[in-house]
Amino acid sequence: MSATHHRDLRTGRPIWMERRRPALDVRPFTRSITCDVAVVGAGISGALIAEMLSEAGLDVVIVDRRGPAVGSTAASTALLQYELDMPLSHMTARIGRERATRIWRRSRLAVDALRSRSQRLGLKVDAATRPSLYLDGNILGPDALAAEADARRDAGFEIELLGPADLERHYGIRGRHAIVGFGNYSADPRRMAVAYLRIAQSRRARLYAPADVVAVEPSRHGVTLGLGGGGEIRAGNVIFATGYEMLKGVPRKGNSIMSTWVIATRPQPGRIWPGAAMIWEASDPYLYIRTTPDGAVICGGEDEDIADPDQRDARIAAKTAILERKLHALLPAIDPAPAFAWAGSFGNNPLGIPTVGRVPRMPNCFAAMGYGGNGITFSMMAAQILRSEICGAGDADADLFGFSREF
């Protein structure tokens, strides 16, 4: 029996799976080994974590029960935004201004760090820097959106508040108000995960798949992982970066599994709105939209509190039709016909923030639970925090995201 929960993470035809990815050195696990750090999970979280720890000079081993970047990473829409699902004004009301501001600022730093690191490493991941349009909706009407804009300005974020006339003139969207954010990022999530794994491998990190962890034996001297089919990994530290298939027995911190649905159109670069801005709504359910470098439009949302994959998959046709209709209504110049459609499971919690840090009562074990709509942004945040926890004096914001947090 596996040490982590198993889930059917996605169904359908993600746009990213149609695109070739660079080769990786993936080995079968055939004998017991030792290392400084074992990273369980070879999706985007595990890739970023492994690369950063390999840069620190540690001997890193990565294992995955499926293979690299074929789980939930392939279902991501990769809107790498600093803006969180929960508005800053709402988060402030929930946990106080000081903590809410620190969380939002750390998210901004994570996006900037991911862009800077990808550029410094010379990674070709179809990346682009984009503005974002946060439209009023049933969570934040026009007045509440204006209050949210004030909260973001007061926290030091550079934003612009547009009324309907200006939004239509600049972006072609009619009858809505919007907060414009700047400096967000997008990429091909599968290519990004593979690119970071390749950098880690260039520093002698080892990648084994398929390799399922079936036993975890932590001690104050290190951790022993038992692998299905035999053999073990003896590591100084272990990091569970298994996304929504978390280690059994790990505190959930209010996390639950939800479902989302996505469509992607054919390339239509001549019809893209100015700046190819990312678009999302202050609504429940909400819509989110981005473009690819060749002009395809990715549109997702309609999230529901569904954990069962059969129920999720049964809604693909209906959700595809809803997304197609909503995309056309918001951006009538776009041909909304889907060339790709898929469904995926993702995690959520009341604040929409990740849980990252030491696993309670499991010495030398760490977890990166990137729950919420900002999964890859949180993956970068997790890589930074865990490097500081393992290699340094600890991260200044670890108290905001650890298992011992009180909110």
Side-chain angles (χ1 to χ4, degrees), residues 51-52 55-56 112-124 185 196 199 203 380 384 387:
E51 186 277 323
M52 199 167 285
E55 184 191 52
D112 291 343
L114 183 59
R115 175 174 39 244
S116 297
R117 195 172 189 88
S118 298
Q119 291 173 348
R120 176 168 64 83
L121 293 171
L123 305 185
K124 307 299 183 183
Y185 196 48
Y196 273 91
I199 294 294
R203 303 185 188 121
M380 186 60 185
Q384 294 175 314
R387 174 174 176 162

mmCIF file with all atom_site columns, all heavy atoms in Angstrom, residues 51-52 55-56 112-124 185 196 199 203 380 384 387:
data_model
loop_
_atom_site.group_PDB
_atom_site.id
_atom_site.type_symbol
_atom_site.label_atom_id
_atom_site.label_alt_id
_atom_site.label_comp_id
_atom_site.label_asym_id
_atom_site.label_entity_id
_atom_site.label_seq_id
_atom_site.pdbx_PDB_ins_code
_atom_site.Cartn_x
_atom_site.Cartn_y
_atom_site.Cartn_z
_atom_site.occupancy
_atom_site.B_iso_or_equiv
_atom_site.pdbx_formal_charge
_atom_site.auth_seq_id
_atom_site.auth_comp_id
_atom_site.auth_asym_id
_atom_site.auth_atom_id
_atom_site.pdbx_PDB_model_num
ATOM 1   N N   . GLU A 1 51  ? 15.620 21.369 -7.968  1.00 0.00 ? 51  GLU A N   1
ATOM 2   C CA  . GLU A 1 51  ? 16.610 22.252 -8.603  1.00 0.00 ? 51  GLU A CA  1
ATOM 3   C C   . GLU A 1 51  ? 17.247 23.183 -7.592  1.00 0.00 ? 51  GLU A C   1
ATOM 4   O O   . GLU A 1 51  ? 18.467 23.382 -7.583  1.00 0.00 ? 51  GLU A O   1
ATOM 5   C CB  . GLU A 1 51  ? 15.935 23.044 -9.720  1.00 0.00 ? 51  GLU A CB  1
ATOM 6   C CG  . GLU A 1 51  ? 16.880 23.881 -10.557 1.00 0.00 ? 51  GLU A CG  1
ATOM 7   C CD  . GLU A 1 51  ? 17.219 25.224 -9.935  1.00 0.00 ? 51  GLU A CD  1
ATOM 8   O OE1 . GLU A 1 51  ? 16.332 25.836 -9.307  1.00 0.00 ? 51  GLU A OE1 1
ATOM 9   O OE2 . GLU A 1 51  ? 18.389 25.667 -10.067 1.00 0.00 ? 51  GLU A OE2 1
ATOM 10  N N   . MET A 1 52  ? 16.437 23.761 -6.707  1.00 0.00 ? 52  MET A N   1
ATOM 11  C CA  . MET A 1 52  ? 16.974 24.715 -5.755  1.00 0.00 ? 52  MET A CA  1
ATOM 12  C C   . MET A 1 52  ? 17.895 24.044 -4.737  1.00 0.00 ? 52  MET A C   1
ATOM 13  O O   . MET A 1 52  ? 18.944 24.588 -4.368  1.00 0.00 ? 52  MET A O   1
ATOM 14  C CB  . MET A 1 52  ? 15.824 25.450 -5.047  1.00 0.00 ? 52  MET A CB  1
ATOM 15  C CG  . MET A 1 52  ? 16.254 26.753 -4.401  1.00 0.00 ? 52  MET A CG  1
ATOM 16  S SD  . MET A 1 52  ? 14.881 27.813 -3.899  1.00 0.00 ? 52  MET A SD  1
ATOM 17  C CE  . MET A 1 52  ? 14.331 28.454 -5.472  1.00 0.00 ? 52  MET A CE  1
ATOM 18  N N   . GLU A 1 55  ? 21.214 23.208 -6.353  1.00 0.00 ? 55  GLU A N   1
ATOM 19  C CA  . GLU A 1 55  ? 22.063 24.390 -6.429  1.00 0.00 ? 55  GLU A CA  1
ATOM 20  C C   . GLU A 1 55  ? 22.785 24.629 -5.114  1.00 0.00 ? 55  GLU A C   1
ATOM 21  O O   . GLU A 1 55  ? 23.927 25.129 -5.094  1.00 0.00 ? 55  GLU A O   1
ATOM 22  C CB  . GLU A 1 55  ? 21.236 25.625 -6.787  1.00 0.00 ? 55  GLU A CB  1
ATOM 23  C CG  . GLU A 1 55  ? 22.075 26.883 -6.973  1.00 0.00 ? 55  GLU A CG  1
ATOM 24  C CD  . GLU A 1 55  ? 21.240 28.150 -7.056  1.00 0.00 ? 55  GLU A CD  1
ATOM 25  O OE1 . GLU A 1 55  ? 20.402 28.375 -6.152  1.00 0.00 ? 55  GLU A OE1 1
ATOM 26  O OE2 . GLU A 1 55  ? 21.437 28.905 -8.004  1.00 0.00 ? 55  GLU A OE2 1
ATOM 27  N N   . ALA A 1 56  ? 22.146 24.250 -4.000  1.00 0.00 ? 56  ALA A N   1
ATOM 28  C CA  . ALA A 1 56  ? 22.759 24.412 -2.682  1.00 0.00 ? 56  ALA A CA  1
ATOM 29  C C   . ALA A 1 56  ? 23.839 23.377 -2.412  1.00 0.00 ? 56  ALA A C   1
ATOM 30  O O   . ALA A 1 56  ? 24.452 23.394 -1.340  1.00 0.00 ? 56  ALA A O   1
ATOM 31  C CB  . ALA A 1 56  ? 21.683 24.334 -1.598  1.00 0.00 ? 56  ALA A CB  1
ATOM 32  N N   . ASP A 1 112 ? 8.000  36.934 -8.955  1.00 0.00 ? 112 ASP A N   1
ATOM 33  C CA  . ASP A 1 112 ? 9.202  37.604 -9.442  1.00 0.00 ? 112 ASP A CA  1
ATOM 34  C C   . ASP A 1 112 ? 10.399 36.655 -9.434  1.00 0.00 ? 112 ASP A C   1
ATOM 35  O O   . ASP A 1 112 ? 11.214 36.648 -10.369 1.00 0.00 ? 112 ASP A O   1
ATOM 36  C CB  . ASP A 1 112 ? 9.514  38.836 -8.593  1.00 0.00 ? 112 ASP A CB  1
ATOM 37  C CG  . ASP A 1 112 ? 8.494  39.947 -8.776  1.00 0.00 ? 112 ASP A CG  1
ATOM 38  O OD1 . ASP A 1 112 ? 7.738  39.906 -9.766  1.00 0.00 ? 112 ASP A OD1 1
ATOM 39  O OD2 . ASP A 1 112 ? 8.448  40.863 -7.923  1.00 0.00 ? 112 ASP A OD2 1
ATOM 40  N N   . ALA A 1 113 ? 10.512 35.844 -8.383  1.00 0.00 ? 113 ALA A N   1
ATOM 41  C CA  . ALA A 1 113 ? 11.636 34.913 -8.280  1.00 0.00 ? 113 ALA A CA  1
ATOM 42  C C   . ALA A 1 113 ? 11.561 33.834 -9.350  1.00 0.00 ? 113 ALA A C   1
ATOM 43  O O   . ALA A 1 113 ? 12.584 33.458 -9.947  1.00 0.00 ? 113 ALA A O   1
ATOM 44  C CB  . ALA A 1 113 ? 11.657 34.270 -6.892  1.00 0.00 ? 113 ALA A CB  1
ATOM 45  N N   . LEU A 1 114 ? 10.365 33.333 -9.627  1.00 0.00 ? 114 LEU A N   1
ATOM 46  C CA  . LEU A 1 114 ? 10.221 32.303 -10.650 1.00 0.00 ? 114 LEU A CA  1
ATOM 47  C C   . LEU A 1 114 ? 10.596 32.843 -12.028 1.00 0.00 ? 114 LEU A C   1
ATOM 48  O O   . LEU A 1 114 ? 11.301 32.177 -12.802 1.00 0.00 ? 114 LEU A O   1
ATOM 49  C CB  . LEU A 1 114 ? 8.781  31.783 -10.659 1.00 0.00 ? 114 LEU A CB  1
ATOM 50  C CG  . LEU A 1 114 ? 8.475  30.652 -11.633 1.00 0.00 ? 114 LEU A CG  1
ATOM 51  C CD1 . LEU A 1 114 ? 9.360  29.437 -11.361 1.00 0.00 ? 114 LEU A CD1 1
ATOM 52  C CD2 . LEU A 1 114 ? 7.002  30.267 -11.554 1.00 0.00 ? 114 LEU A CD2 1
ATOM 53  N N   . ARG A 1 115 ? 10.147 34.042 -12.327 1.00 0.00 ? 115 ARG A N   1
ATOM 54  C CA  . ARG A 1 115 ? 10.513 34.662 -13.613 1.00 0.00 ? 115 ARG A CA  1
ATOM 55  C C   . ARG A 1 115 ? 12.024 34.886 -13.676 1.00 0.00 ? 115 ARG A C   1
ATOM 56  O O   . ARG A 1 115 ? 12.681 34.523 -14.666 1.00 0.00 ? 115 ARG A O   1
ATOM 57  C CB  . ARG A 1 115 ? 9.781  35.985 -13.790 1.00 0.00 ? 115 ARG A CB  1
ATOM 58  C CG  . ARG A 1 115 ? 10.205 36.752 -15.037 1.00 0.00 ? 115 ARG A CG  1
ATOM 59  C CD  . ARG A 1 115 ? 9.373  37.993 -15.298 1.00 0.00 ? 115 ARG A CD  1
ATOM 60  N NE  . ARG A 1 115 ? 9.044  38.698 -14.082 1.00 0.00 ? 115 ARG A NE  1
ATOM 61  C CZ  . ARG A 1 115 ? 7.797  38.866 -13.613 1.00 0.00 ? 115 ARG A CZ  1
ATOM 62  N NH1 . ARG A 1 115 ? 6.767  38.384 -14.282 1.00 0.00 ? 115 ARG A NH1 1
ATOM 63  N NH2 . ARG A 1 115 ? 7.582  39.523 -12.498 1.00 0.00 ? 115 ARG A NH2 1
ATOM 64  N N   . SER A 1 116 ? 12.583 35.481 -12.640 1.00 0.00 ? 116 SER A N   1
ATOM 65  C CA  . SER A 1 116 ? 14.015 35.789 -12.643 1.00 0.00 ? 116 SER A CA  1
ATOM 66  C C   . SER A 1 116 ? 14.865 34.528 -12.720 1.00 0.00 ? 116 SER A C   1
ATOM 67  O O   . SER A 1 116 ? 15.864 34.472 -13.454 1.00 0.00 ? 116 SER A O   1
ATOM 68  C CB  . SER A 1 116 ? 14.377 36.580 -11.380 1.00 0.00 ? 116 SER A CB  1
ATOM 69  O OG  . SER A 1 116 ? 13.710 37.818 -11.342 1.00 0.00 ? 116 SER A OG  1
ATOM 70  N N   . ARG A 1 117 ? 14.466 33.516 -11.989 1.00 0.00 ? 117 ARG A N   1
ATOM 71  C CA  . ARG A 1 117 ? 15.251 32.280 -11.984 1.00 0.00 ? 117 ARG A CA  1
ATOM 72  C C   . ARG A 1 117 ? 15.172 31.578 -13.342 1.00 0.00 ? 117 ARG A C   1
ATOM 73  O O   . ARG A 1 117 ? 16.179 31.095 -13.866 1.00 0.00 ? 117 ARG A O   1
ATOM 74  C CB  . ARG A 1 117 ? 14.758 31.358 -10.873 1.00 0.00 ? 117 ARG A CB  1
ATOM 75  C CG  . ARG A 1 117 ? 15.717 30.209 -10.534 1.00 0.00 ? 117 ARG A CG  1
ATOM 76  C CD  . ARG A 1 117 ? 15.259 29.470 -9.294  1.00 0.00 ? 117 ARG A CD  1
ATOM 77  N NE  . ARG A 1 117 ? 16.259 28.524 -8.832  1.00 0.00 ? 117 ARG A NE  1
ATOM 78  C CZ  . ARG A 1 117 ? 17.256 28.814 -7.998  1.00 0.00 ? 117 ARG A CZ  1
ATOM 79  N NH1 . ARG A 1 117 ? 17.374 30.046 -7.531  1.00 0.00 ? 117 ARG A NH1 1
ATOM 80  N NH2 . ARG A 1 117 ? 18.130 27.896 -7.632  1.00 0.00 ? 117 ARG A NH2 1
ATOM 81  N N   . SER A 1 118 ? 13.986 31.526 -13.914 1.00 0.00 ? 118 SER A N   1
ATOM 82  C CA  . SER A 1 118 ? 13.829 30.891 -15.227 1.00 0.00 ? 118 SER A CA  1
ATOM 83  C C   . SER A 1 118 ? 14.646 31.615 -16.287 1.00 0.00 ? 118 SER A C   1
ATOM 84  O O   . SER A 1 118 ? 15.277 30.982 -17.152 1.00 0.00 ? 118 SER A O   1
ATOM 85  C CB  . SER A 1 118 ? 12.355 30.858 -15.625 1.00 0.00 ? 118 SER A CB  1
ATOM 86  O OG  . SER A 1 118 ? 11.590 30.088 -14.712 1.00 0.00 ? 118 SER A OG  1
ATOM 87  N N   . GLN A 1 119 ? 14.658 32.937 -16.221 1.00 0.00 ? 119 GLN A N   1
ATOM 88  C CA  . GLN A 1 119 ? 15.454 33.713 -17.178 1.00 0.00 ? 119 GLN A CA  1
ATOM 89  C C   . GLN A 1 119 ? 16.941 33.510 -16.941 1.00 0.00 ? 119 GLN A C   1
ATOM 90  O O   . GLN A 1 119 ? 17.717 33.334 -17.897 1.00 0.00 ? 119 GLN A O   1
ATOM 91  C CB  . GLN A 1 119 ? 15.075 35.186 -17.072 1.00 0.00 ? 119 GLN A CB  1
ATOM 92  C CG  . GLN A 1 119 ? 13.673 35.500 -17.573 1.00 0.00 ? 119 GLN A CG  1
ATOM 93  C CD  . GLN A 1 119 ? 13.251 36.930 -17.313 1.00 0.00 ? 119 GLN A CD  1
ATOM 94  O OE1 . GLN A 1 119 ? 13.910 37.670 -16.558 1.00 0.00 ? 119 GLN A OE1 1
ATOM 95  N NE2 . GLN A 1 119 ? 12.140 37.346 -17.906 1.00 0.00 ? 119 GLN A NE2 1
ATOM 96  N N   . ARG A 1 120 ? 17.360 33.522 -15.680 1.00 0.00 ? 120 ARG A N   1
ATOM 97  C CA  . ARG A 1 120 ? 18.789 33.353 -15.366 1.00 0.00 ? 120 ARG A CA  1
ATOM 98  C C   . ARG A 1 120 ? 19.301 31.990 -15.811 1.00 0.00 ? 120 ARG A C   1
ATOM 99  O O   . ARG A 1 120 ? 20.443 31.870 -16.283 1.00 0.00 ? 120 ARG A O   1
ATOM 100 C CB  . ARG A 1 120 ? 19.002 33.530 -13.855 1.00 0.00 ? 120 ARG A CB  1
ATOM 101 C CG  . ARG A 1 120 ? 20.430 33.269 -13.404 1.00 0.00 ? 120 ARG A CG  1
ATOM 102 C CD  . ARG A 1 120 ? 20.670 33.736 -11.988 1.00 0.00 ? 120 ARG A CD  1
ATOM 103 N NE  . ARG A 1 120 ? 19.887 33.024 -10.998 1.00 0.00 ? 120 ARG A NE  1
ATOM 104 C CZ  . ARG A 1 120 ? 20.235 31.832 -10.469 1.00 0.00 ? 120 ARG A CZ  1
ATOM 105 N NH1 . ARG A 1 120 ? 21.324 31.215 -10.895 1.00 0.00 ? 120 ARG A NH1 1
ATOM 106 N NH2 . ARG A 1 120 ? 19.494 31.277 -9.538  1.00 0.00 ? 120 ARG A NH2 1
ATOM 107 N N   . LEU A 1 121 ? 18.469 30.976 -15.695 1.00 0.00 ? 121 LEU A N   1
ATOM 108 C CA  . LEU A 1 121 ? 18.869 29.634 -16.089 1.00 0.00 ? 121 LEU A CA  1
ATOM 109 C C   . LEU A 1 121 ? 18.716 29.405 -17.590 1.00 0.00 ? 121 LEU A C   1
ATOM 110 O O   . LEU A 1 121 ? 19.091 28.343 -18.103 1.00 0.00 ? 121 LEU A O   1
ATOM 111 C CB  . LEU A 1 121 ? 18.040 28.602 -15.324 1.00 0.00 ? 121 LEU A CB  1
ATOM 112 C CG  . LEU A 1 121 ? 18.293 28.546 -13.807 1.00 0.00 ? 121 LEU A CG  1
ATOM 113 C CD1 . LEU A 1 121 ? 17.272 27.645 -13.129 1.00 0.00 ? 121 LEU A CD1 1
ATOM 114 C CD2 . LEU A 1 121 ? 19.711 28.071 -13.510 1.00 0.00 ? 121 LEU A CD2 1
ATOM 115 N N   . GLY A 1 122 ? 18.150 30.385 -18.304 1.00 0.00 ? 122 GLY A N   1
ATOM 116 C CA  . GLY A 1 122 ? 18.011 30.283 -19.751 1.00 0.00 ? 122 GLY A CA  1
ATOM 117 C C   . GLY A 1 122 ? 16.987 29.260 -20.198 1.00 0.00 ? 122 GLY A C   1
ATOM 118 O O   . GLY A 1 122 ? 17.150 28.645 -21.258 1.00 0.00 ? 122 GLY A O   1
ATOM 119 N N   . LEU A 1 123 ? 15.908 29.098 -19.451 1.00 0.00 ? 123 LEU A N   1
ATOM 120 C CA  . LEU A 1 123 ? 14.928 28.059 -19.738 1.00 0.00 ? 123 LEU A CA  1
ATOM 121 C C   . LEU A 1 123 ? 13.944 28.513 -20.818 1.00 0.00 ? 123 LEU A C   1
ATOM 122 O O   . LEU A 1 123 ? 13.416 29.624 -20.762 1.00 0.00 ? 123 LEU A O   1
ATOM 123 C CB  . LEU A 1 123 ? 14.168 27.690 -18.464 1.00 0.00 ? 123 LEU A CB  1
ATOM 124 C CG  . LEU A 1 123 ? 15.033 27.257 -17.271 1.00 0.00 ? 123 LEU A CG  1
ATOM 125 C CD1 . LEU A 1 123 ? 14.159 26.806 -16.123 1.00 0.00 ? 123 LEU A CD1 1
ATOM 126 C CD2 . LEU A 1 123 ? 16.016 26.164 -17.670 1.00 0.00 ? 123 LEU A CD2 1
ATOM 127 N N   . LYS A 1 124 ? 13.683 27.651 -21.766 1.00 0.00 ? 124 LYS A N   1
ATOM 128 C CA  . LYS A 1 124 ? 12.730 27.903 -22.846 1.00 0.00 ? 124 LYS A CA  1
ATOM 129 C C   . LYS A 1 124 ? 11.415 27.207 -22.497 1.00 0.00 ? 124 LYS A C   1
ATOM 130 O O   . LYS A 1 124 ? 11.232 26.013 -22.745 1.00 0.00 ? 124 LYS A O   1
ATOM 131 C CB  . LYS A 1 124 ? 13.273 27.388 -24.179 1.00 0.00 ? 124 LYS A CB  1
ATOM 132 C CG  . LYS A 1 124 ? 14.663 27.906 -24.529 1.00 0.00 ? 124 LYS A CG  1
ATOM 133 C CD  . LYS A 1 124 ? 14.693 29.425 -24.663 1.00 0.00 ? 124 LYS A CD  1
ATOM 134 C CE  . LYS A 1 124 ? 16.073 29.914 -25.083 1.00 0.00 ? 124 LYS A CE  1
ATOM 135 N NZ  . LYS A 1 124 ? 16.137 31.402 -25.137 1.00 0.00 ? 124 LYS A NZ  1
ATOM 136 N N   . TYR A 1 185 ? 2.846  36.350 -14.780 1.00 0.00 ? 185 TYR A N   1
ATOM 137 C CA  . TYR A 1 185 ? 3.713  35.474 -15.581 1.00 0.00 ? 185 TYR A CA  1
ATOM 138 C C   . TYR A 1 185 ? 2.893  34.294 -16.069 1.00 0.00 ? 185 TYR A C   1
ATOM 139 O O   . TYR A 1 185 ? 1.932  33.871 -15.410 1.00 0.00 ? 185 TYR A O   1
ATOM 140 C CB  . TYR A 1 185 ? 4.839  34.999 -14.657 1.00 0.00 ? 185 TYR A CB  1
ATOM 141 C CG  . TYR A 1 185 ? 6.065  34.392 -15.301 1.00 0.00 ? 185 TYR A CG  1
ATOM 142 C CD1 . TYR A 1 185 ? 6.706  35.003 -16.372 1.00 0.00 ? 185 TYR A CD1 1
ATOM 143 C CD2 . TYR A 1 185 ? 6.608  33.222 -14.786 1.00 0.00 ? 185 TYR A CD2 1
ATOM 144 C CE1 . TYR A 1 185 ? 7.854  34.457 -16.910 1.00 0.00 ? 185 TYR A CE1 1
ATOM 145 C CE2 . TYR A 1 185 ? 7.768  32.664 -15.315 1.00 0.00 ? 185 TYR A CE2 1
ATOM 146 C CZ  . TYR A 1 185 ? 8.389  33.288 -16.378 1.00 0.00 ? 185 TYR A CZ  1
ATOM 147 O OH  . TYR A 1 185 ? 9.534  32.739 -16.916 1.00 0.00 ? 185 TYR A OH  1
ATOM 148 N N   . TYR A 1 196 ? 13.302 22.429 -15.215 1.00 0.00 ? 196 TYR A N   1
ATOM 149 C CA  . TYR A 1 196 ? 13.925 22.499 -13.889 1.00 0.00 ? 196 TYR A CA  1
ATOM 150 C C   . TYR A 1 196 ? 14.498 21.149 -13.468 1.00 0.00 ? 196 TYR A C   1
ATOM 151 O O   . TYR A 1 196 ? 15.560 21.087 -12.817 1.00 0.00 ? 196 TYR A O   1
ATOM 152 C CB  . TYR A 1 196 ? 12.925 23.031 -12.863 1.00 0.00 ? 196 TYR A CB  1
ATOM 153 C CG  . TYR A 1 196 ? 12.909 24.539 -12.802 1.00 0.00 ? 196 TYR A CG  1
ATOM 154 C CD1 . TYR A 1 196 ? 12.039 25.289 -13.590 1.00 0.00 ? 196 TYR A CD1 1
ATOM 155 C CD2 . TYR A 1 196 ? 13.786 25.246 -11.969 1.00 0.00 ? 196 TYR A CD2 1
ATOM 156 C CE1 . TYR A 1 196 ? 12.038 26.676 -13.557 1.00 0.00 ? 196 TYR A CE1 1
ATOM 157 C CE2 . TYR A 1 196 ? 13.792 26.623 -11.926 1.00 0.00 ? 196 TYR A CE2 1
ATOM 158 C CZ  . TYR A 1 196 ? 12.920 27.338 -12.717 1.00 0.00 ? 196 TYR A CZ  1
ATOM 159 O OH  . TYR A 1 196 ? 12.933 28.718 -12.684 1.00 0.00 ? 196 TYR A OH  1
ATOM 160 N N   . ILE A 1 199 ? 17.882 20.841 -15.138 1.00 0.00 ? 199 ILE A N   1
ATOM 161 C CA  . ILE A 1 199 ? 18.932 21.604 -14.448 1.00 0.00 ? 199 ILE A CA  1
ATOM 162 C C   . ILE A 1 199 ? 19.394 20.842 -13.212 1.00 0.00 ? 199 ILE A C   1
ATOM 163 O O   . ILE A 1 199 ? 20.604 20.737 -12.937 1.00 0.00 ? 199 ILE A O   1
ATOM 164 C CB  . ILE A 1 199 ? 18.420 23.001 -14.062 1.00 0.00 ? 199 ILE A CB  1
ATOM 165 C CG1 . ILE A 1 199 ? 18.125 23.836 -15.312 1.00 0.00 ? 199 ILE A CG1 1
ATOM 166 C CG2 . ILE A 1 199 ? 19.441 23.716 -13.163 1.00 0.00 ? 199 ILE A CG2 1
ATOM 167 C CD1 . ILE A 1 199 ? 19.348 24.181 -16.135 1.00 0.00 ? 199 ILE A CD1 1
ATOM 168 N N   . ARG A 1 203 ? 23.278 18.788 -12.227 1.00 0.00 ? 203 ARG A N   1
ATOM 169 C CA  . ARG A 1 203 ? 24.044 18.854 -10.971 1.00 0.00 ? 203 ARG A CA  1
ATOM 170 C C   . ARG A 1 203 ? 24.035 17.502 -10.257 1.00 0.00 ? 203 ARG A C   1
ATOM 171 O O   . ARG A 1 203 ? 24.211 17.429 -9.053  1.00 0.00 ? 203 ARG A O   1
ATOM 172 C CB  . ARG A 1 203 ? 23.465 19.937 -10.077 1.00 0.00 ? 203 ARG A CB  1
ATOM 173 C CG  . ARG A 1 203 ? 23.415 21.337 -10.715 1.00 0.00 ? 203 ARG A CG  1
ATOM 174 C CD  . ARG A 1 203 ? 22.948 22.354 -9.695  1.00 0.00 ? 203 ARG A CD  1
ATOM 175 N NE  . ARG A 1 203 ? 22.713 23.650 -10.307 1.00 0.00 ? 203 ARG A NE  1
ATOM 176 C CZ  . ARG A 1 203 ? 21.538 24.302 -10.305 1.00 0.00 ? 203 ARG A CZ  1
ATOM 177 N NH1 . ARG A 1 203 ? 20.481 23.735 -9.705  1.00 0.00 ? 203 ARG A NH1 1
ATOM 178 N NH2 . ARG A 1 203 ? 21.402 25.472 -10.889 1.00 0.00 ? 203 ARG A NH2 1
ATOM 179 N N   . MET A 1 380 ? 6.955  27.663 -6.159  1.00 0.00 ? 380 MET A N   1
ATOM 180 C CA  . MET A 1 380 ? 8.183  28.434 -6.029  1.00 0.00 ? 380 MET A CA  1
ATOM 181 C C   . MET A 1 380 ? 8.379  28.895 -4.597  1.00 0.00 ? 380 MET A C   1
ATOM 182 O O   . MET A 1 380 ? 9.491  28.851 -4.052  1.00 0.00 ? 380 MET A O   1
ATOM 183 C CB  . MET A 1 380 ? 8.145  29.642 -6.973  1.00 0.00 ? 380 MET A CB  1
ATOM 184 C CG  . MET A 1 380 ? 9.452  30.429 -7.011  1.00 0.00 ? 380 MET A CG  1
ATOM 185 S SD  . MET A 1 380 ? 10.819 29.395 -7.579  1.00 0.00 ? 380 MET A SD  1
ATOM 186 C CE  . MET A 1 380 ? 12.207 30.492 -7.378  1.00 0.00 ? 380 MET A CE  1
ATOM 187 N N   . GLN A 1 384 ? 11.599 27.965 -2.042  1.00 0.00 ? 384 GLN A N   1
ATOM 188 C CA  . GLN A 1 384 ? 12.380 28.943 -1.288  1.00 0.00 ? 384 GLN A CA  1
ATOM 189 C C   . GLN A 1 384 ? 12.352 28.647 0.207   1.00 0.00 ? 384 GLN A C   1
ATOM 190 O O   . GLN A 1 384 ? 13.387 28.667 0.887   1.00 0.00 ? 384 GLN A O   1
ATOM 191 C CB  . GLN A 1 384 ? 11.835 30.348 -1.552  1.00 0.00 ? 384 GLN A CB  1
ATOM 192 C CG  . GLN A 1 384 ? 12.006 30.839 -2.965  1.00 0.00 ? 384 GLN A CG  1
ATOM 193 C CD  . GLN A 1 384 ? 11.326 32.182 -3.185  1.00 0.00 ? 384 GLN A CD  1
ATOM 194 O OE1 . GLN A 1 384 ? 10.182 32.394 -2.785  1.00 0.00 ? 384 GLN A OE1 1
ATOM 195 N NE2 . GLN A 1 384 ? 12.036 33.100 -3.821  1.00 0.00 ? 384 GLN A NE2 1
ATOM 196 N N   . ARG A 1 387 ? 14.280 25.330 1.062   1.00 0.00 ? 387 ARG A N   1
ATOM 197 C CA  . ARG A 1 387 ? 15.742 25.495 1.001   1.00 0.00 ? 387 ARG A CA  1
ATOM 198 C C   . ARG A 1 387 ? 16.242 26.204 2.259   1.00 0.00 ? 387 ARG A C   1
ATOM 199 O O   . ARG A 1 387 ? 17.245 25.788 2.864   1.00 0.00 ? 387 ARG A O   1
ATOM 200 C CB  . ARG A 1 387 ? 16.147 26.281 -0.240  1.00 0.00 ? 387 ARG A CB  1
ATOM 201 C CG  . ARG A 1 387 ? 17.641 26.593 -0.264  1.00 0.00 ? 387 ARG A CG  1
ATOM 202 C CD  . ARG A 1 387 ? 18.085 27.247 -1.540  1.00 0.00 ? 387 ARG A CD  1
ATOM 203 N NE  . ARG A 1 387 ? 19.500 27.611 -1.470  1.00 0.00 ? 387 ARG A NE  1
ATOM 204 C CZ  . ARG A 1 387 ? 20.263 27.887 -2.516  1.00 0.00 ? 387 ARG A CZ  1
ATOM 205 N NH1 . ARG A 1 387 ? 19.755 27.834 -3.733  1.00 0.00 ? 387 ARG A NH1 1
ATOM 206 N NH2 . ARG A 1 387 ? 21.519 28.208 -2.363  1.00 0.00 ? 387 ARG A NH2 1
#
